[in-house]
Amino acid sequence: MGYLLAGITMLVIVSVLCLIRPALSHPYPHDLVIGQYSVDRMDVDLAPLIEHLATQRPVNAPSDLVRMPQDDFKPIIGAVGNGYTLDTVWYRMPIIVTEVSAEPIDQKLYLEIAPTFLNTVDLTIVDASSLIPIWHNEVGDHIARDQAHIHGRKHIREWPRLATGKYWLVIGITTNSAQILTARIKSESVLIDENMQDTFLYGLYLGISLIGFLVYFTLGLLIRDRAILWYGFHILALFMLTAGISGYAHLLLSDFWILSSDALTGAGTALSIGTSVAMWSYIIELDRHKPTLFRCLIAYAIITCLCGISATSDIYIYFTLGFFLPQIGVTLLILGYLLYLGGKNTDRRKYYLYVIALGVPAVASIIHLLMLLGLAPINTFTRNCYQVASLVHLFLLGIAMAYRTHELTRRRVAANRHSTWTNQLADDQREFITMLSHEFRTPLAIIQRAAEMTSLHMQDAPDAVKNRISTIRVHASQLSELVNVFLTKDTLDSTNFVIAPKSTILAPFLSDFIKRRQREFPNHDIGLTDTGRTIINIDRTLIERALSNLIENARKYAPKAYVRIGFNHRSDGFVYIRVVDNGPGIPPDDLAMVSDAFYRGTTSGTTHGVGLGLHITNRIVAAHQGRMSVSVGEKGGTTILIRLPYDRTLTNNTIAAAHTDINPPPATASKGSIPS
């Protein structure tokens, strides 16, 4: 861990040194001195010399700014800025032009204004003695580019050749982004060299970011891990943000869409905030440990991402004012919870890595956000810390995601092995149950038959003997039914299970079924209502088993209740079979689980059963591409609704034939015969 911290420290130092460009020293603390005949290579940072208007004085013309006293201004370096405002913010800087060389050098100078996302930047040079503007220009990412001017990643205008004297550079900025200003005067050679170098480096970074997004997005989809998926989107957000801030979008896309730089910068900012919150919420598994907090954070992340659509309008400024301060709180909340988990978890190395990967950019982003909001001073550190921290963030998160991917792959392999072993055990169990059930059937049939024959031959036996024989028959029948149930479940759970559907007229089928049930249980009131001419393709044996289970449940739990079976077909292509009883009904707490295997309700008591009846019925209905639902009336009674697809063509033909007194056409041979 010590080597890791040392490496991170070195990376931060190197990155800071690379991002900070040293400014040239100036002979005066507040004036820019430019020789009309200057040196060949010139690169002057104007930021330490520029002041911004810190009072509410009205400005009608650039000359008004020159007349104002020094007390109305503050330096832009080392002091807090204006934050986010739709008002025009004014800046000024004194200039002294001297003649320092007798040999003129034919070298143009250029004024470079950044950042690129500033909407409009009004540039004026005012003569200090006459207060007359002698040069005026306008740049910004809402200003169409003039083909006559040089183009770059930043806003560039050729610096005018000024006569010896004193001047003021007046700058007015209107933007829906943060009021941050950097300005440099560069010679042509410096401008070309730096643009070539920086364009290559930023292009390399953007290319790597885009590849990283594609890799992690694809990986997240393949292994179905949402943390990795959100990490991919986070890389995409940083790609968009970097493309906007670096000026790459301004250089390449502004001719096609003038607002491209503004759009990518604003949308990238919103997406980077939202994706970071969602990604870390999944990484620290808030969905498992704190589901309510997790849902709140995901909703916050989604809303933040959606706010990116306002990037090119003035509405965006309200997003920044409304979300940047809460984002600081959310970041600290996630970091605090991560520290809490690291203290409790045994695998602390992983959480230490997470803490550093989140903590370094979290501190940097908080400082940077406070600077953008005008709550922290503007200096080299506050302007560049987030860029450096983002590099550290991506580097460490890449390591963390590689570790996470390895862990998920290892768990998936273990899960597949466990699943294979479980399936093998289930197959062995089904094979054993099938064998045992078949072995039970023969002796059970012999016992039942022997009990029936004994009962016939002992009509005159004492009541005690008759009762013993009746008990044998009842329990043998129950055991036989139990064997049939397990065999049916074994068949339905088998991967080789297929149904054998045949075209069936539903009304006669249900009528015959009810008659057979009434012969077996003459004391149980079962009736058929709402008969029609619906033709349905079903496996008759399985559907009979499903309906028998429903009626058997009613007979067990409501012995004196009647059962009514009815059906009707609708234009949606389904027939709805209702099995209704007027018993006490199923308790609400049991409704959601009554179709689970081996589940018995809270009111089952000592009633005989193993909790497979409704489960088997549900599986049979599902095998017929149907659906089963269970409901209870306000005053009791249970209604079980079975929805099954029916044959529209044959049903419509049968109904039409009945209306015209023509015999209904037979079913096609492929669908089997229709019983009368």
Side-chain angles (χ1 to χ4, degrees):
M1 184 59 66
Y3 292 111
L4 180 60
L5 291 174
I8 293 170
T9 304
M10 290 299 299
L11 180 62
V12 171
I13 294 173
V14 171
S15 302
V16 170
L17 292 177
C18 292
L19 287 172
I20 299 176
R21 298 184 183 278
L24 297 180
S25 60
H26 304 287
Y28 303 103
H30 300 295
D31 297 338
L32 169 65
V33 178
I34 300 178
Q36 188 170 0
Y37 302 98
S38 182
V39 294
D40 180 49
R41 296 186 65 82
M42 184 177 185
D43 184 4
V44 181
D45 186 5
L46 304 182
L49 310 175
I50 299 176
E51 302 170 323
H52 72 95
L53 181 61
T55 62
Q56 298 296 322
R57 289 181 179 268
V59 178
N60 298 316
S63 57
D64 295 341
L65 213 68
V66 177
R67 296 190 186 98
M68 294 180 186
Q70 181 67 37
D71 294 340
D72 290 341
F73 293 87
K74 288 184 179 180
I76 64 172
I77 298 297
V80 296
N82 291 75
Y84 287 86
T85 175
L86 293 175
D87 298 330
T88 301
V89 178
W90 292 95
Y91 303 82
R92 74 178 188 180
M93 183 192 74
I95 305 169
I96 298 176
V97 178
T98 61
E99 196 169 308
V100 297
S101 175
E103 295 292 333
I105 298 176
D106 188 16
Q107 184 71 244
K108 292 181 179 180
L109 298 180
Y110 292 91
L111 175 62
E112 184 182 72
I113 301 294
T116 319
F117 54 72
L118 299 174
N119 293 3
T120 59
V121 182
D122 189 86
L123 304 169
T124 306
I125 294 179
V126 180
D127 186 280
S129 57
S130 65
L131 300 182
I132 298 176
I134 63 172
W135 179 80
H136 177 265
N137 224 309
E138 195 175 33
V139 295
D141 67 355
H142 284 203
I143 305 298
R145 291 202 304 193
D146 188 347
Q147 298 301 323
H149 292 286
I150 187 171
H151 296 163
R153 293 183 301 102
K154 301 175 183 178
H155 303 299
I156 302 173
R157 286 296 181 265
E158 184 177 346
W159 184 260
R161 290 188 178 274
L162 303 173
T164 302
K166 294 184 178 181
Y167 305 90
W168 288 90
L169 174 63
V170 178
I171 304 174
I173 296 179
T174 304
T175 182
N176 64 341
S177 302
Q179 284 283 352
I180 303 173
L181 174 64
T182 61
R184 304 181 80 91
I185 291 181
K186 297 180 178 180
S187 63
E188 190 173 18
S189 57
V190 171
L191 185 67
I192 293 174
D193 290 346
E194 287 188 357
N195 269 316
M196 290 180 61
Q197 176 185 352
D198 291 351
T199 301
F200 170 75
L201 292 176
Y202 274 112
L204 181 63
Y205 174 79
L206 292 174
I208 294 174
S209 299
L210 189 58
I211 293 173
F213 158 68
L214 295 174
V215 168
Y216 282 101
F217 176 75
T218 305
L219 187 63
L221 288 178
L222 291 177
I223 66 177
R224 299 179 182 179
D225 183 74
R226 295 183 179 179
I228 295 178
L229 200 60
W230 278 106
Y231 177 58
F233 282 118
H234 185 64
I235 295 177
L236 177 63
L238 293 179
F239 166 84
M240 296 169 60
L241 183 59
T242 304
I245 292 178
S246 67
Y248 227 90
H250 176 72
L251 176 64
L252 300 178
L253 303 176
S254 60
D255 288 336
F256 303 99
W257 186 27
I258 192 173
L259 303 178
S260 58
S261 177
D262 222 17
L264 287 178
T265 303
T269 301
L271 285 175
S272 65
I273 293 175
T275 54
S276 175
V277 171
M279 173 185 66
W280 281 107
S281 297
Y282 278 106
I283 287 177
I284 62 180
E285 298 180 338
L286 279 177
D287 52 332
R288 292 176 52 194
H289 305 297
K290 304 288 183 181
T292 302
L293 177 60
F294 170 78
R295 286 192 290 270
C296 292
L297 290 181
I298 292 298
Y300 168 83
I302 292 174
I303 293 173
T304 306
C305 292
L306 292 177
C307 288
I309 62 178
S310 66
T312 58
S313 68
D314 291 343
I315 301 175
Y316 180 75
I317 200 169
Y318 300 107
F319 156 70
T320 59
L321 295 174
F323 278 82
F324 278 10
L325 282 178
Q327 175 61 21
I328 295 174
V330 170
T331 303
L332 293 176
L333 173 66
I334 295 176
L335 183 59
Y337 188 74
L338 193 57
L339 289 170
Y340 167 74
L341 288 180
K344 290 182 59 178
N345 204 288
T346 55
D347 187 9
R348 296 189 177 182
R349 291 178 300 176
K350 177 179 72 173
Y351 284 95
Y352 286 152
L353 179 61
Y354 284 161
V355 167
I356 297 173
L358 176 62
V360 172
V363 174
S365 65
I366 289 172
I367 296 173
H368 190 69
L369 288 176
L370 291 175
M371 184 269 294
L372 294 177
L373 290 168
L375 301 175
I378 299 175
N379 52 46
T380 304
F381 174 73
T382 56
R383 283 189 302 185
N384 297 315
C385 64
Y386 183 69
Q387 297 181 43
V388 178
S390 295
L391 296 176
V392 177
H393 189 225
L394 287 178
F395 173 73
L396 293 179
L397 266 184
I399 297 175
M401 289 302 170
Y403 176 78
R404 182 181 180 88
T405 303
H406 171 73
E407 284 294 305
L408 290 174
T409 304
R410 185 182 61 81
R411 291 178 187 176
R412 178 160 292 187
V413 171
N416 287 336
R417 290 177 179 172
H418 180 73
S419 177
T420 302
W421 177 71
T422 303
N423 290 336
Q424 182 63 42
L425 284 180
D427 290 340
D428 293 344
Q429 182 187 32
R430 280 195 291 267
E431 184 178 352
F432 173 75
I433 290 175
T434 301
M435 179 188 68
L436 197 62
S437 299
H438 281 293
E439 291 297 325
F440 277 171
R441 277 192 165 185
T442 300
L444 281 174
I446 295 174
I447 293 173
Q448 284 181 291
R449 185 61 179 166
E452 291 174 0
M453 295 300 296
T454 304
S455 177
L456 290 174
H457 288 287
M458 301 187 68
Q459 295 290 338
D460 299 329
D463 291 340
V465 175
K466 291 182 179 179
N467 290 337
R468 297 288 182 107
I469 295 174
S470 176
T471 301
I472 293 173
R473 292 180 60 187
V474 169
H475 285 281
S477 177
Q478 290 177 351
L479 188 56
S480 178
E481 181 66 21
L482 188 62
V483 169
N484 288 334
V485 166
F486 273 105
L487 277 176
T488 304
K489 182 181 185 302
D490 175 62
T491 302
L492 293 173
D493 289 342
S494 173
T495 55
N496 299 322
F497 168 66
V498 291
I499 63 174
K502 293 183 179 180
S503 292
T504 304
I505 301 178
L506 191 55
F509 168 77
L510 293 177
S511 179
D512 292 342
F513 166 74
I514 290 174
K515 289 178 181 178
R516 279 185 271 111
R517 285 290 307 185
Q518 286 177 331
R519 284 197 297 268
E520 295 176 11
F521 303 97
N523 296 326
H524 196 199
D525 185 7
I526 307 173
L528 179 64
T529 61
D530 301 333
T531 59
R533 299 179 180 273
T534 308
I535 296 179
I536 186 171
N537 295 314
I538 56 173
D539 187 314
R540 300 172 193 169
T541 303
L542 290 179
I543 292 297
E544 283 191 3
R545 164 56 58 188
L547 295 174
S548 295
N549 290 341
L550 300 181
I551 295 174
E552 189 64 23
N553 267 14
R555 190 177 69 85
K556 288 179 182 177
Y557 299 106
K560 298 180 179 180
Y562 63 82
V563 176
R564 292 293 178 264
I565 300 177
F567 69 91
N568 66 295
H569 65 262
R570 300 178 187 172
S571 58
D572 60 359
F574 292 94
V575 61
Y576 295 83
I577 303 174
R578 298 175 302 280
V579 180
V580 183
D581 67 60
N582 66 339
I586 300 174
D589 295 339
D590 295 334
L591 279 177
M593 296 178 286
V594 290
S595 60
D596 293 347
F598 303 109
Y599 178 80
R600 303 197 70 201
T602 55
T603 59
S604 58
T606 57
T607 305
H608 173 74
V610 292
L612 284 175
L614 288 179
H615 170 73
I616 290 175
T617 298
N618 191 43
R619 292 295 302 271
I620 292 173
V621 171
H624 285 78
Q625 307 301 315
R627 189 175 63 187
M628 183 185 78
S629 61
V630 183
S631 60
V632 178
E634 294 182 0
K635 297 181 180 180
T638 303
T639 299
I640 299 178
L641 184 66
I642 297 175
R643 190 187 76 166
L644 296 171
Y646 71 94
D647 192 318
R648 286 189 179 189
T649 303
L650 285 178
T651 299
N652 292 337
N653 292 341
T654 302
I655 294 174
H659 288 167
T660 55
D661 294 328
I662 300 176
N663 291 329
T668 57
S670 61
K671 295 184 178 180
S673 59
I674 302 176
S676 59

